[in-house]
C-alpha cells in the first residue's frame, strides 16, 4: 500500500503520522484501553493503602483482613502484568508494522522519482533518511506511544487526588505553569537542534558514501588523508551539534526532578499541616439517597493515599521529558522523510496518459524539441523522424547532446519545448511502463547489480528462457567470457560488476538489452570499451537484431554509423547535418571531415 | 543483492565478551578523569537521592504523625477537656511539629536541587564523552577504510561498510559510555539503597531483597532469547542498507528496464525479515517487563504484609501505631532499588545490541590491510619512470591466474601502448603497477625498487592514472581536478583543462570552474566526465602517466587534440596507454599486445604489422572497416 504524503503536509509531521497510523487504530485503541484499565487498577493500590492505614489507626484492622488486602494487591499485580503484556505487544508491534510500511513506502517513493531528483539528491542523504530517520519515527510511534499511554495515569490519578483533597491537589499543581513554560522552550529548542543534528547526519553519511564509492580514485591519488580531514570536519560538526542537543535534552532531568521534588515538598508540608490541624475537607460521598458532599476530617490515611498517588505519578512525569524528546526527534525525522515522499516526480503518468496504449510499433519523431537542464541548454529545436524499423545514427562532439536525445525518448527527462512523438502520439500520453518497455537501452555508463550474470542479463525480462539468454550472450560476444568462468551464468558479480573488465561489463549491458524483445533499440556509445575485433563481431550480429527494430545508434566512429538509414550530426545541441553516409560525405561538412580524419589516422598507421 | 560474491556478514560472538568490552573502554580511557568525575557526581547524587526517603519518613513519623501528639489528641478527643494547660501543650506540640516539618521540607528541597544539578552535570559530561568517543571511533573506521585494499572493498557491499561508519557507531556510542557509567552508578545505588534499608529496618530490607534473585533469574532467561535476535537484527539492518544503497545507485537502470515492481518485492522481503526479527524480540520484552514489574509489586505487598502483621501484633499489646513514614521510605527505596535493577537488565540488552555493532566494527578494524606498507617504505621524491615486470603471476583469486608470467621492461620516458581483447588483463596489469593488488609470484620494480618496498601512497601519488571507470565527486569542477591536493593552483587547473580540451565546455558553464558537479558527475556528459578525469591526472603532475581507455567516450576530433597536447606534456615521462582504437596507440614507442593474460607481441607498429600476428589481425579488421567506409 503506497501512502501518499501531500506536499502541503511536509511541515506537519504529526498529521502525516496520524493519517499514516490510522490503519493500526485497532491496535492502538486496544492498547489504550488496556493502559486505561491498568491505570485504574494501579490506582486501587493507593486507595487500598489509605484505607488500611485508617483502619490501623482506628484499630479496626485484624490479621485475616490484612491477608485478604495483600492477596488483593497481588491479584491486581498479576492482572496488571497481563494487561501490560498485551499493551506492549499491541503498541510496539504496531509500531514495527508501521515502520515496515513506512520503509516500503519510502522505497516506493524514492523509486518513482525521476533523474532530476537523483541528480540533485545525494545517495547518502537518501540512505540516511532510510536508516536513521525511519528509526526515529518508529521510536516516536512505539516507545513514544507507550510513554504517552503511561501518562494516561495522570488524569485518573489527578481525579483520585482531587477526591482525597481538591485543595491539596491544587497545591500540588502549583509549579505547573512554570514547568509548562520551560517545557515549551525546551520542545522548540529540541526540535530545532534535532533538525540540525539529523541534517548533519545526512551530510556525514553522504561523505562516507562518496568516499567509498570513489575509493579507486582516492587510492590512486593517495588523497586518503585529505578525505579523512574533510570527513573529520563534518564529523566534528555532527559531534558538536550532538553535544548541544544532549545538553538541552538532559536539562529535562533536573527540571522534572525539581518539579517532582517541589510537588512532594508542597504536599508533605501542606498536607502534613492539614493532618496536624485536623482540618476538614469536603468529600464526595455515596449515601443511601444519592451522591452528595460531606465534610470530613483529613486523616492520616487520606494523606497516605495522596502521597502514594504522587509516587505513582513520579514515573510518568520523569518519563515526560524523554517522551517529549522522542516526539520532537521523530517529528523532525518525519518531516525529512515526508520531504522525499511528498516530492512529486516530474515524470509520471498523469491524467493525459492514455492507458489504452499497450504496445508501441516504433516510429519516432522529434518535433522542435528543446531541452534545458537548470537553464543550461542541451538541445535546441531538434526535429527528426525515424520510421519503424529504420536505423538512425547520431554523431557529434562530446557534450553535444546525443545522450540527451535518448533521455527524452526514455522519458528520463521531458522536453522543455516541443514534443517527442512515438507512433505519432506524444510520448507523454503513453504509459511510462509501456514506453520504457518498448525500448531496449544500452546506456553509455554501464551499471550492473551485485547478482549473478544471469540475473543481470535477464534483468529486464526475468522470464527469458535459456535459448534467448544464450542468443543474447552470443550477440554481445559474451559466450566465451561466460564460459571462461567456472560457474558460467551463475557467476556472482560484485557491486557495479567490479569483477568484470570494462569490456565485459559493457557487453553484458548489450546482452541485457538484446534479450528484451522491444521494438526500439538504443545503443549509446555501447562499444566504446570493446576492442575492434569484438566490436566488428557484435555489429555483425546486431544487424539481424536491428533489422526488425527501430534503432538509434550513438557513436564516435564513422565505421559504426555508416550503414544507418539516416545520420544526424549534433553540434551544441543543434542538428547541423543530416542525411545518409554518402550524402554527408558528398556535402563535405563536419561529417566528411570526421570521416577524413579517421581515414587519415589509418593511413598514417600504414605508412608510418 | 546476493551475498555470494561478497564476504559473509557473520559475527560469531559470545553474549558478553569481556575482551570486546575492554577494547571499547579503551576509547573512553583518554577521558578517564572526566569519566571519574561523572561517576563521582552520580555517586553523590545517588546518596543524596537515597536520603530523601529517610527525611520524608522522619517528617511523617516524627512530625505529621507524632505519636506523643497523637496520643494526646486521642485522649483529648476521647475525654474532651477544657484544661487550658493541656490544650496549650497540644498547641505547642503542633507548633513544634509544624516548624520541624517545615525545616525538613526545606532540607529535602535543597537536597533535591543538589541531586538534580549533580545529575545534570553528570549527564552532560557523559554525553560529551560519548560524542567524543563516537567521533574518534568513526574517524578510526573511516581512516582505516582509506587503507583497505580494493580487493576488500570489492568484496564488501558499500552499504554494509557505510552501516559500520554511521549506524553501528551510533549504536555503540548511544550505549557504551552512558551504559557503563550508569551501570557503575546503578550498582552503587543498589548497594546504597540496601545499606539504607538494612540500617533502617533489616527485616523489611530482607523481605525486599528476597525478591531480587527472581529478577535476576528472569533476566538470565530473557537474555538467552534476546541475544540471538539482536545479532540478527543488526544483520538485517546492514542488508537493508546495502540493498537500498545499490538500488539508489542503479535506479536509472531499474527504471529504464521498468523493474520497479520486482525490486520493490525484493526490498519488501528483506524489510519483512527485519520486521519479523523485531516481532520475536517484542514478545521477549513483553513477557519480561511485566514479570519484573510484578516482582516489584510483590515486594511492596510483602512490605505491607510484614509491617502490618508486625504492627498489629504490637498494637495488640497496646504499644504502637503504624509508621506511615517508614512505610513510605520503603516504598521509595523499593522503587529506587527496582529501578536500577530493571535498568541493569535493560541496559544489558542495549549493551548486547551495541556489542553486536561493536563486534562488527572491530572485525572491520581488525581486518589487516592486505596490502601492507613496509615500515620505512621508500618515499621517492621523484621517479625516473623505469618499470620492470619480472615473471609476474597474478589472479584475483589464486586459482585463476589473470596474468601469467608477464615480463616487460619500460624505460624512463618511454611511451608504451597496450592493446588486446577485452578481458585480456590490461587493466589488471596497470592495477599491479600502482600496487592496488599484490601479486602472487614474480616482482614488479619501479626505478629498480620493488613496489612492495615503497610507501604505497607515495608511490601512487607519483603515478597518474586515468581509470577506465571514471569517478567524479560531488563538488566543484575545480575540486574534482585538484582533489583538494595542496599545491595545485587554479592556474594549473586551467592549464590542464585546456590540455585535455575541457576548457571550452567548462568555460561555457555559468559558474565555470565552480560549477557544482553532481554525484558521480551525473549532470555532465560521459565524455565531459572523462575529460575531467584526464585533467585530474595531468594536474597531479605524475612521473608515470597511465591512461586506461582515457578517451574512449570522447569524439575523435577532441581526442586528436588531446593527443597532441599529451605528446608534448609527456615527452620526458613514462606513459602507458591502453586503447582499443588503434589510431590512439599510433604514437607509442612500443606496442604490447596482450592475450589471455600473456604478452604475445611487443614492438613498434611497423614491426608488429610485419610480424603478421595478433596485432596484424586486429589492425586489419579496423583498417578493412575504414577502407570499406571510404
Ligand atoms: N576486481 C576483480 N575481481 C575479480 N576478477 C576480476 C576483477 N577485475 C577483473 N577481473 C577479471 O580479470 C580478467 C581481466 O580483466 P581486466 O580488467 O584486466 O581486462 P582488460 O584487459 O582491462 O579488459 P577491457 O579491455 O575489457 O577493459 C577478466 O576476466 C575479469 O573478469
Ligand atoms: N542530467 C544532466 N543534468 C544537467 N546537465 C546535463 C545532464 N546530462 C547532460 N547534461 C549536459 O548537457 C549537455 C549535453 O550532454 P549529453 O550527455 O547529451 O552529451 P553527449 O552528446 O551524450 O556527450 P558524450 O559524447 O560526452 O556522451 C552537456 O553539456 C552536459 O553537461
Ligand atoms: Mg553521451
Ligand atoms: Mg580494462
Amino acid at each position: 500500500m503506497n501512502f501518499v504524503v501531500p506536499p502541503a503536509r511536509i511541515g506537519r509531521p504529526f498529521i502525516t503520522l496520524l493519517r499514516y497510523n490510522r490503519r493500526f487504530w485497532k491496535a492502538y485503541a486496544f492498547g489504550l484501553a488496556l493502559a486505561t484499565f491498568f491505570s485504574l487498577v494501579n490506582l486501587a493500590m493507593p486507595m487500598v493503602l489509605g484505607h488500611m492505614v485508617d483502619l490501623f489507626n482506628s484499630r479496626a484492622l485484624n490479621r485475616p483482613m490484612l491477608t485478604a488486602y495483600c492477596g488483593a494487591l497481588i491479584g491486581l499485580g498479576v492482572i496488571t502484568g497481563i494487561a501490560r503484556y498485551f499493551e506492549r505487544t499491541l503498541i510496539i508491534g504496531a509500531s514495527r508494522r508501521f515502520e515496515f510500511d513506512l520503509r516500503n513506502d519510502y522505497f516506493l517513493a524514492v523509486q518513482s522519482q525521476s533523474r532530476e531528483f537523483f541528480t540533485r539528491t545525494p545517495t547518502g542523504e537518501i540512505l540516511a533518511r532510510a536508516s536513521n530517520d525511519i528509526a526515529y519515527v518508529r521510536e516516536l510511534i512505539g516507545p513514544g506511544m507507550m510513554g504517552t499511554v503511561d501518562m494516561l495515569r495522570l488524569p485518573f490519578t489527578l481525579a483520585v487526588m482531587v477526591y482525597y483533597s481538591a485543595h491539596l491537589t491544587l497545591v500540588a499543581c502549583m509549579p505547573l505553569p512554570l514547568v509548562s513554560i520551560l517545557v515549551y522552550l525546551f520542545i522548540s529548542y529540541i526540535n530545532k537542534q534535532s533538525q540540525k543534528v539529523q541534517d548533519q547526519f545526512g551530510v556525514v553519511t553522504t561523505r562516507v558514501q562518496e568516499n567509498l564509492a570513489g575509493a579507486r580514485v582516492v587510492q590512486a591519488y593517495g588523497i586518503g588523508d585529505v578525505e579523512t580531514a574533510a570527513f573529520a570536519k563534518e564529523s566534528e560538526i555532527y559531534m558538536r551539534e550532538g553535544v548541544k542537543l544532549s545538553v538541552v535534552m538532559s536539562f529535562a532531568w533536573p527540571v522534572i526532578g525539581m518539579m517532582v521534588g517541589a510537588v512532594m515538598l508542597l504536599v508533605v508540608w501542606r498536607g502534613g499541616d492539614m493532618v496536624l490541624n485536623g482540618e476538614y475537607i469536603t468529600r464526595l460521598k455515596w449515601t443511601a439517597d444519592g451522591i452528595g458532599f460531606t465534610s470530613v476530617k483529613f486523616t492520616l490515611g487520606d494523606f497516605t493515599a495522596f502521597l502514594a498517588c504522587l509516587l505513582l505519578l513520579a514515573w510518568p512525569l520523569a518519563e515526560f521529558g524523554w517522551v517529549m524528546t522522542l516526539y520532537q526527534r521523530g517529528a523532525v525525522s518525519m518531516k525529512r522523510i515526508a520531504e522525499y515522499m511528498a516530492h512529486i516526480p516530474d515524470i509520471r503518468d498523469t491524467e493525459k496518459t492514455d492507458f489504452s496504449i499497450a504496445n508501441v510499433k516504433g516510429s519516432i519523431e522529434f518535433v522542435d524539441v528543446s531541452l534545458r537542464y537548470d537553464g543550461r541548454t542541451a538541445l535546441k529545436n531538434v526535429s527528426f523522424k525515424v520510421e519503424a524499423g529504420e536505423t538512425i545514427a547520431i554523431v557529434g562532439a562530446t557534450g553535444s547532446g546525443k545522450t540527451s536525445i535518448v533521455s527524452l525518448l526514455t522519458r528520463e527527462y521531458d522536453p522543455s519545448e516541443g514534443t517527442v512523438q512515438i507512433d505519432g502520439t506524444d510520448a507523454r500520453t503513453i504509459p511510462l511502463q509501456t514506453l520504457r518497455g518498448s525500448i531496449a537501452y544500452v546506456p553509455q555508463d554501464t551499471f550492473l547489480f551485485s547478482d549473478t550474470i544471469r540475473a543481470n542479463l535477464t534483468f529486464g525480462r526475468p522470464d527469458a528462457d535459456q535459448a534467448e539468454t544464450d542468443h543474447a550472450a552470443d550477440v554481445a560476444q559474451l559466450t566465451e567470457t561466460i564460459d571462461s568462468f567456472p560457474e558460467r551464468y551463475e557467476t556472482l558479480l560484485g557491486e557495479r560488476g567490479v569483477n568484470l573488465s570494462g569490456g565485459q561489463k559493457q557487453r553484458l549491458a548489450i546482452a541485457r538489452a538484446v534479450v528484451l524483445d522491444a521494438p526500439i533499440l538504443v545503443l549509446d556509445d555501447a562499444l566504446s570499451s570493446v576492442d575492434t575485433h569484438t566490436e566488428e563481431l557484435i555489429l555483425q550480429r546486431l544487424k539481424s537484431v536491428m533489422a526488425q527494430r527501430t534503432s538509434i545508434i550513438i557513436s564516435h566512429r564513422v565505421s559504426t554509423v555508416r550503414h544507418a538509414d539516416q545520420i544526424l550530426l549534433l553540434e551544441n545541441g543543434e542538428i547541423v547535418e543530416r542525411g545518409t553516409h554518402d550524402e554527408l560525405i558528398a556535402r563535405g561538412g563536419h561529417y566528411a571531415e570526421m570521416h577524413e580524419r579517421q581515414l587519415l589516422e589509418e593511413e598514417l598507421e600504414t605508412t608510418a | 543483492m546476493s551475498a555470494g560474491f561478497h564476504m559473509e556478514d557473520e559475527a560469531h560472538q559470545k553474549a558478553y565478551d569481556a575482551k570486546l568490552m575492554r577494547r571499547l573502554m579503551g576509547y573512553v580511557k583518554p577521558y578517564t578523569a572526566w569519566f571519574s568525575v561523572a561517576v563521582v557526581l552520580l555517586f553523590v547524587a545517588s546518596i543524596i537521592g537515597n536520603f530523601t526517603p529517610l527525611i520524608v519518613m522522619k517528617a511523617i513519623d516524627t512530625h505529621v504523625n507524632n505519636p506523643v501528639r497523637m496520643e494526646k489528641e486521642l485522649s483529648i478527643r476521647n475525654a474532651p477537656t477544657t484544661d487550658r494547660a493541656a490544650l496549650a501543650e497540644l498547641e505547642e506540640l503542633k507548633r513544634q511539629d509544624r516548624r520541624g516539618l517545615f525545616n525538613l521540607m526545606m532540607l529535602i528541597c535543597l537536597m533535591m536541587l543538589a541531586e538534580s544539578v549533580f545529575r545534570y552535570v553528570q549527564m552532560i559530561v557523559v554525553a560529551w564523552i560519548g560524542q567524543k568517543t563516537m567521533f574518534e571511533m568513526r574517524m578510526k573506521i573511516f581512516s582505516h577504510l582509506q587503507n583497505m585494499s580494493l580487493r576488500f572493498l570489492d568484496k564488501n557491499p558499500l552499504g554494509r561498510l557505510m552501516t559500520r561508519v554511521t549506524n553501528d557507531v551510533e549504536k555503540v556510542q548511544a550505549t557504551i559510555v552512558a551504559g557503563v557509567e550508569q551501570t557503575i552508578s546503578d550498582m552503587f545505588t543498589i548497594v546504597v539503597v540496601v545499606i539504607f534499608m538494612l540500617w533502617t529496618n533489616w527485616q523489611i530490607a530482607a523481605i525486599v531483597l528476597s525478591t531480587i534473585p527472581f529478577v535476576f533469574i528472569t533476566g538470565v532467561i530473557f537474555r538467552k532469547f534476546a541475544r540471538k535476535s539482536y545479532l540478527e537484527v543488526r544483520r538485517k539492518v546492514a542488508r537493508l542498507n546495502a540493498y537500498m544503497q545499490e538500488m539508489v545507485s542503479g535506479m536509472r537502470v531499474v527504471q529504464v528496464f521498468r523493474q520497479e515492481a520486482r525490486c520493490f518485492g525484493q526490498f519488501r522481503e528483506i524489510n519483512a525479515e527485519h520486521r519479523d526479527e523485531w516481532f520475536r524480540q517484542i514478545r521477549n520484552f513483553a513477557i519480561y517487563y511485566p514479570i519484573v514489574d510484578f516482582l516489584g509489586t510483590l515486594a511492596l505487598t510483602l512490605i505491607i504484609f510484614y509491617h502490618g502483621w508486625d504492627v498489629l501484633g504490637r498494637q495488640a499489646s497496646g504499644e504502637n501505631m503504624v509508621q506511615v513514614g517508614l512505610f513510605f521510605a520503603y516504598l521509595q527505596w523499593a522503587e529506587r532499588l527496582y529501578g536500577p535493577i530493571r535498568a541493569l537488565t535493560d541496559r544489558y540488552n542495549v549493551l548486547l545490541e551495541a556489542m553486536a555493532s561493536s563486534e562488527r566494527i572491530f572485525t572491520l578494524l581488525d581486518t589487516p590491510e592486505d596490502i601492507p606498507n613496509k615500515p620505512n617504505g621508500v618515499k621517492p621524491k621523484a621517479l625516473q619512470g623505469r618499470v620492470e615486470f619480472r615473471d609476474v603471476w597474478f589472479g584475483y583469486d589464486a586459482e585463476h591466474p589473470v596474468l601469467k608470467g608477464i615480463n616487460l621492461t619500460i624505460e624512463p620516458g618511454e611511451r608504451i601502448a597496450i592493446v588486446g581483447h577485452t578481458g585480456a588483463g590490461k587493466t589488471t596489469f596497470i592495477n599491479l603497477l600502482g600496487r592496488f593488488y599484490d601479486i602472487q609470484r614474480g616482482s614488479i620494480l619501479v626505478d629498480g625498487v620493488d613496489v612492495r618496498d615503497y610507501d604505497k601512497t607515495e608511490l601512487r601519488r607519483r603515478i597518474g592514472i586515468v581509470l577506465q571507470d571514471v569517478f567524479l565527486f560531488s563538488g566543484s569542477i575545480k575540486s574534482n581536478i585538484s582533489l583538494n591536493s595542496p599545491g595545485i593552483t587554479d592556474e594549473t587547473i586551467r592549464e590542464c583543462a585546456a590540455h585535455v580540451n575541457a576548457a571550452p565546455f567548462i568555460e561555457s558553464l555559468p559558474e565555470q570552474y565552480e560549477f557544482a558537479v553532481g554525484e558521480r558527475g551525473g549532470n555532465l556528459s560521459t565524455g565531459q566526465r572523462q575529460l575531467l578525469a584526464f585533467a585530474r591526472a595531468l594536474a597531479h603532475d605524475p612521473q608515470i602517466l597511465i591512461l586506461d581507455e582515457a578517451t574512449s567516450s570522447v569524439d575523435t576530433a577532441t581526442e586528436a587534440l588531446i593527443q597532441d597536447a599529451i605528446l608534448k606534456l609527456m615527452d620526458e615521462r613514462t606513459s602507458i596507454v591502453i586503447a582499443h582504437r588503434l589510431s590512439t596507440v599510433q604514437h607509442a614507442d612500443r606496442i604490447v599486445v596482450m592475450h589471455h593474460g600473456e604478452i604475445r607481441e611487443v614492438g613498434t607498429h611497423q614491426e608488429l604489422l610485419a610480424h603478421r600476428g595478433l596485432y596484424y589481425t586486429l589492425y586489419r579488421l579496423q583498417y578493412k572497416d575504414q577502407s570499406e567506409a571510404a
Side-chain angles (χ1 to χ4, degrees), chain A residues 39 42-51 53 73 153 157-158 160-161 164 168 260 263-264 267-268 298 300-316, chain B residues 56 60 300 304 324 327-329 331-332 335:
Chain A
S39 297
N42 263 352
L43 276 179
M45 186 119 161
M47 293 172 92
V48 169
L49 264 179
H51 196 56
V53 170
L73 283 181
R153 278 186 205 177
T157 316
L158 271 178
V160 174
M161 282 162 68
Y164 278 110
L168 207 51
V260 173
V263 170
M264 203 63 161
V267 167
V268 176
F298 188 72
L300 182 65
D302 296 341
F303 181 57
T304 312
F306 197 92
L307 268 185
C309 280
L310 264 189
L311 275 188
L312 272 186
L313 277 189
W315 174 236
Chain B
V56 173
I60 296 177
L300 284 184
I304 297 174
V324 179
F327 181 68
F328 266 106
L331 280 191
Q332 286 188 13
E335 196 133 311

Side-chain angles (χ1 to χ4, degrees), chain A residues 383-385 390-395 561-570 575-587 591:
Chain A
S383 300
F384 65 89
K385 189 167 167 40
E390 273 187 2
T391 298
I392 189 169
I394 308 174
V395 296
V561 302
R562 52 190 294 269
H563 298 294
D565 298 310
Q566 193 183 173
I567 299 170
L568 306 178
L569 191 136
L570 280 180
I575 299 180
V576 290
E577 289 172 29
R578 70 174 83 209
T580 62
H581 177 76
D582 294 332
E583 285 165 11
L584 289 179
I585 297 289
R587 238 185 92 173
Y591 183 83

Side-chain angles (χ1 to χ4, degrees), chain A residues 123 238 276 412 507 559 608, chain B residues 69 170 252 422 519 606 625:
Chain A
T123 307
Y238 180 64
L276 266 169
E412 288 169 78
R507 281 179 289 139
S559 56
Chain B
R69 199 195 76 233
E170 206 85 356
R252 197 176 158 212
T422 86
E519 205 171 65
Q606 291 306 334
D625 208 53

Side-chain angles (χ1 to χ4, degrees), chain B residues 2 31 35 51 60 84 117 148 198 202 230 395 400 433 505 509 517 548 561 567-568:
Chain B
S2 158
Y31 307 100
F35 190 79
F51 254 115
I60 296 177
R84 289 191 145 235
V117 169
M148 292 318 281
L198 286 172
W202 69 266
Y230 273 125
H400 302 101
L433 183 52
F505 103 79
L509 295 168
V517 177
D548 191 355
L561 288 174
L567 220 54
K568 280 184 234 120

Side-chain angles (χ1 to χ4, degrees), chain B residues 53-79:
Chain B
L54 211 62
I55 298 178
V56 173
M57 172 181 111
K58 193 161 158 40
I60 296 177
D61 285 348
T62 62
H63 296 301
V64 178
N65 203 18
N66 183 352
V68 182
R69 199 195 76 233
M70 293 296 273
E71 211 52 45
K72 273 234 159 60
E73 251 175 37
L74 216 72
S75 65
I76 290 181
R77 198 190 308 152
N78 289 343

Side-chain angles (χ1 to χ4, degrees), chain B residues 271-332:
Chain B
N271 197 6
E273 282 173 25
H274 174 256
R275 179 198 56 193
D276 294 342
E277 205 52 60
W278 273 113
F279 278 166
R280 265 190 281 285
Q281 196 69 307
I282 289 168
R283 207 161 328 114
N284 291 335
F285 276 114
I287 295 175
Y288 170 71
Y289 281 130
I291 290 185
V292 175
D293 283 348
F294 173 73
L295 288 171
T297 311
L298 185 68
L300 284 184
T301 314
L302 285 174
I303 299 174
I304 297 174
F305 185 73
Y306 171 81
H307 191 57
W309 196 268
D310 183 44
V311 173
L312 280 178
R314 275 184 282 159
Q315 227 173 28
S317 57
E319 189 192 302
N320 214 334
M321 299 179 93
V322 59
Q323 280 179 284
V324 179
L326 174 76
F327 181 68
F328 266 106
Y330 270 93
L331 280 191
Q332 286 188 13

Side-chain angles (χ1 to χ4, degrees), chain A residues 111 113 123 211 219 222 238 247 261 265 273 276-277 412 444 450 495 505 507 532-533 559 605 608, chain B residues 69 98 105 112 120 146 148 158 170 246 252 255 422 461 469 519 526 583 605-606 621-622 625:
Chain A
Q111 210 179 33
Q113 298 301 328
T123 307
N211 171 271
Q219 300 207 346
Y238 180 64
V247 166
L265 170 99
D273 240 24
L276 266 169
N277 297 338
E412 288 169 78
Q444 199 168 9
S450 57
E495 272 181 326
K505 275 186 273 197
R507 281 179 289 139
T532 43
H533 176 66
S559 56
E605 282 176 37
Chain B
R69 199 195 76 233
R98 234 173 277 145
M105 286 303 113
M112 288 212 164
Y120 180 52
Q146 304 309 303
M148 292 318 281
L158 209 166
E170 206 85 356
E246 182 162 29
R252 197 176 158 212
Q255 289 180 346
T422 86
R461 280 192 185 145
D469 296 311
E519 205 171 65
T526 311
S583 58
H605 180 66
Q606 291 306 334
L621 263 167
Q622 201 165 42
D625 208 53

